[in-house]
Amino acid sequence: MAHWLLKSEPGSWSWQQQVEAGEKGTSWNGVRNHSAKQNLMAMKVGEEAFFYHSGEGKEIVGIVAITKPYYPDPSDKTGVFGMVDVRAVRPLRTPVTLAAIKAEPRLKDMVLVNNSRLSVQPVTEDEWKVICTMGGISK
DNA sequence: GCCAACGTTGGC
DNA sequence: GCCAACGTTGGC
């Protein structure tokens, strides 16, 4: 199973809101970047993603699961971009900050470090495990 | 099809 | 608030 990382400005969509959205989850809409789209299209139901707060916080705060695979985003008039649905699974016991990620040699190749602007990123199996450990949760 | 100009993102 | 990095747009 592949793993992912989704970025959001907490001012526009926060982890707290994701938790309040509950079990049925919400659509992850608004992606307007082709690399991000490719990653969305590769997601499968049941796969998990880190939820990262950019700007305010700059830390991974929780884990979400994909509940619906890629489908068209009605807010995109061009019809080029789509979205998936996600639901909150659990928070990290301790958020993993960008500073901590940069300080961890095993995470030096993370997309978050090297291409911080990409809003939907793949995460390798090893990176997933390291961050779960740093976050104080079991994989 | 190239590339300069411009807008946006996001860390600092 | 600044600016580097990146993507997109549009003139040629």
Side-chain angles (χ1 to χ4, degrees):
Chain A
M1 289 240 290
H3 291 106
W4 310 96
L5 183 146
L6 296 170
K7 277 192 327 189
S8 183
E9 290 263 3
S12 49
W13 183 252
S14 69
W15 170 250
Q16 186 58 35
Q17 288 172 291
Q18 187 68 58
V19 170
E20 286 166 3
E23 277 295 305
K24 64 176 162 51
T26 54
S27 62
W28 195 268
N29 58 10
V31 167
R32 295 293 183 270
N33 171 283
H34 290 284
S35 299
K37 175 189 168 181
Q38 292 306 311
N39 291 327
L40 286 180
M41 290 176 73
M43 291 178 175
K44 297 189 182 70
V45 170
E47 288 182 344
E48 294 185 330
F50 288 127
F51 192 114
Y52 175 78
H53 276 170
S54 62
E56 194 69 28
K58 283 178 301 235
E59 57 192 11
I60 295 171
V61 289
I63 292 174
V64 295
I66 312 305
T67 59
K68 183 175 177 181
Y70 189 83
Y71 62 105
D73 180 348
S75 75
D76 174 28
K77 301 292 183 246
T78 68
V80 173
F81 295 101
M83 57 196 186
V84 299
D85 285 1
V86 300
R87 67 173 172 87
V89 175
R90 57 176 164 168
L92 269 61
R93 191 188 308 162
T94 39
V96 176
T97 65
L98 180 62
I101 289 168
K102 286 186 169 177
E104 169 54 59
R106 285 174 295 174
L107 300 178
K108 69 174 170 48
D109 293 326
M110 266 195 86
V111 179
L112 192 63
V113 175
N114 299 303
N115 184 7
S116 63
R117 291 194 48 185
L118 185 59
S119 60
V120 183
Q121 312 179 354
V123 174
T124 68
E125 194 64 33
D126 289 343
E127 291 162 354
W128 185 269
K129 287 178 187 167
V130 169
I131 291 168
C132 284
T133 302
M134 291 167 76
I137 59 173
S138 57
K139 190 188 126 16

